[in-house]
Amino acid sequence: MIKVALAGFGKGGQIYNAPIISSVDGLEIVKILTSGNKEEAKKEFPAAEVVEDYSKITEDKRINLVVITTPNHLHVQFAEQALEAGKNVVVEKPFTPTVKEADYLISLAKRKNKIITVHHNRRWDSDFLTIQKIIKEDRLGKIVAYEAHFDRFRNYVKDNWKEEKAVPGSGILYDLGSHLIDQALVLFGHPKEIFADLRAQREHSEVVDNFELILFYPDLKVSLRAGMLVKEPGARFSVFGRNGTFKKYGMDVQEEALQQGKNPKEDPDWGKEPEEIWGKINTTNEEGRVKSELGNYTHLYQNIYNAILGKEDLLVKPEEARDVIKVIELAQKSNAERRMVPFS
């Protein structure tokens, strides 16, 4: 049994991490750091100790794994303290605000002989798993273009750290962009060049709330987009190959299930998408719906558990999460200089 501490019990900790951790046999949440959600933490995890002092976690010799879901600008500080205390670490995405900080944490983890990884859970979205399968089976032929959108509609600015320009790691390029970039790098590896257009479109917005990011590869263009003023979303994914096209509308169902208080251990239909949002394929060889693969966020924490025990290699390597931050930094550079920039 691996004892786990949650550092943060806001939306990231309470909704997106805790239920998944609890669904993996061998992982037990024994401490939760929170000041504002004490009652919710105690209600959901009555056997866990709720604390306000992070040292109560770092100094607890029972705890083997610390999951950090604090605001982005605190990721480095909290991860550093956990590693120095000899803990394995999971950091909520985005990994860090800068590549330099990511490299520092990776180096520290190696010196301490501990695991550090990042919660890139959307590698296990049903739609993304389906796209991976279609590409692997070569059903579209050589891929020439890939478009991914992560759109929302909220035409006002919230009073929280994600909307504050002065807070490192704020804005949707770090938030939603981290998911889109990580998925693209998993599929296609490092691009040769990057171009980005970053905007603040909502009234009174201080941070990036709309972006278009283009990754250029030999014979392939990857377009990643997200915005906060998209009332009528288009296709979530569009994949174009020399033999045809795959398009997917609608979102993976796991996020909504988590928001409703469900968890994988108790839901026999976990990660199963309804047929009406299955993707459509149209090629020289076939046309019709493609049954979505089962989404499975549990696989991330199962792998982390096995990696800590030395049974598997990490699936989300920290260097991969660092490269997501590198793309974000290059996107900022491209936007500032209004030009295409090389990845290397």
Side-chain angles (χ1 to χ4, degrees):
M1 184 66 70
I2 290 175
K3 307 294 184 181
V4 182
L6 265 179
F9 204 67
K11 191 174 181 181
Q14 182 179 10
I15 296 176
Y16 298 123
N17 282 272
I20 305 299
I21 295 168
S22 301
S23 298
V24 175
D25 292 333
L27 294 179
E28 180 187 5
I29 296 174
V30 297
K31 276 191 179 178
I32 299 172
L33 175 74
T34 182
S35 56
N37 292 325
K38 290 182 182 179
E39 291 183 9
E40 293 93 333
K42 203 64 187 173
K43 181 180 178 182
E44 294 183 28
F45 295 93
E49 182 183 356
V50 180
V51 300
E52 291 188 48
D53 184 351
Y54 189 47
S55 66
K56 299 289 186 183
I57 288 174
T58 57
E59 294 174 4
D60 189 336
K61 297 188 182 302
R62 300 174 304 154
I63 292 170
N64 191 279
L65 176 64
V66 178
V67 179
I68 297 167
T69 66
T70 62
N72 297 349
H73 65 286
L74 298 175
H75 286 183
V76 178
Q77 173 189 339
F78 275 59
E80 178 184 32
Q81 292 175 16
L83 289 169
E84 289 286 6
K87 316 297 185 187
N88 297 291
V89 174
V90 177
V91 183
E92 182 55 78
K93 63 81 203 161
F95 188 8
T96 58
T98 68
V99 169
K100 183 178 179 180
E101 291 167 319
D103 281 334
Y104 168 70
L105 291 180
I106 292 168
S107 175
L108 178 59
K110 287 178 179 177
R111 292 201 308 271
K112 294 293 182 178
N113 197 28
K114 293 297 173 183
I115 283 171
I116 187 166
T117 186
V118 177
H119 187 240
H120 278 303
N121 62 323
R122 288 194 177 273
R123 293 190 187 188
W124 290 273
D125 276 357
S126 56
D127 44 22
F128 183 66
L129 292 171
T130 304
I131 287 169
Q132 282 186 300
K133 183 179 180 182
I134 288 171
I135 292 175
K136 185 177 181 180
E137 292 173 350
D138 197 30
R139 290 164 72 174
L140 300 176
K142 179 177 175 56
I143 306 302
V144 296
Y146 168 94
E147 298 177 4
H149 288 243
F150 207 142
D151 294 319
R152 291 176 173 170
F153 184 80
R154 193 179 74 241
N155 61 358
Y156 59 91
V157 175
K158 279 188 175 181
D159 183 20
N160 66 30
W161 62 267
K162 289 187 178 182
E163 305 275 24
E164 295 179 11
K165 185 178 182 179
V167 178
S170 60
I172 67 168
L173 181 59
Y174 278 97
D175 186 20
L176 305 182
S178 291
H179 290 308
L180 295 177
I181 295 166
D182 180 65
Q183 290 175 334
L185 297 184
V186 168
L187 288 176
F188 306 116
H190 296 157
K192 289 182 67 65
E193 296 168 309
I194 293 170
F195 178 81
D197 180 73
L198 314 179
R199 296 174 183 263
Q201 294 183 329
R202 293 170 300 165
E203 188 176 10
H204 306 305
S205 178
E206 297 180 351
V207 299
V208 172
D209 59 18
N210 178 282
F211 69 80
E212 179 178 9
L213 179 58
I214 303 177
L215 311 182
F216 294 94
Y217 298 79
D219 303 320
L220 167 67
K221 184 175 81 169
V222 170
S223 302
L224 310 176
R225 298 183 182 185
M228 297 298 292
L229 293 177
V230 185
K231 186 68 170 172
E232 190 65 35
R236 175 95 164 88
F237 292 99
S238 301
V239 189
F240 304 91
R242 287 180 177 167
N243 294 339
T245 302
F246 175 78
K247 279 188 175 284
K248 175 69 170 63
Y249 291 80
M251 291 291 292
D252 176 272
V253 298
Q254 293 176 94
E255 179 175 359
E256 183 179 353
L258 288 169
Q259 291 174 349
Q260 293 173 356
K262 299 177 182 178
N263 69 66
K265 213 166 190 179
E266 299 171 356
D267 186 352
D269 291 325
W270 185 265
K272 183 178 181 181
E273 285 197 340
E275 188 171 348
E276 56 264 28
I277 64 168
W278 289 357
K280 293 181 180 179
I281 195 168
N282 188 349
T283 74
T284 53
N285 299 315
E286 59 177 316
E287 182 178 357
R289 295 272 191 180
V290 177
K291 182 178 180 179
S292 294
E293 296 293 296
L294 283 176
N296 185 10
Y297 291 162
T298 307
H299 199 64
L300 172 61
Y301 272 105
Q302 184 65 61
N303 169 253
I304 291 168
Y305 172 79
N306 291 338
I308 290 173
L309 296 183
K311 295 180 178 180
E312 290 179 1
D313 291 334
L314 276 176
L315 292 175
V316 181
K317 295 175 174 56
E319 292 83 3
E320 295 170 344
R322 182 267 321 279
D323 289 343
V324 171
I325 305 304
K326 180 175 180 178
V327 171
I328 289 174
E329 286 191 343
L330 292 174
Q332 293 167 335
K333 179 180 176 67
S334 171
N335 180 73
E337 299 177 2
R338 308 307 297 168
R339 68 180 182 91
M340 193 180 299
V341 297
F343 178 80
S344 60

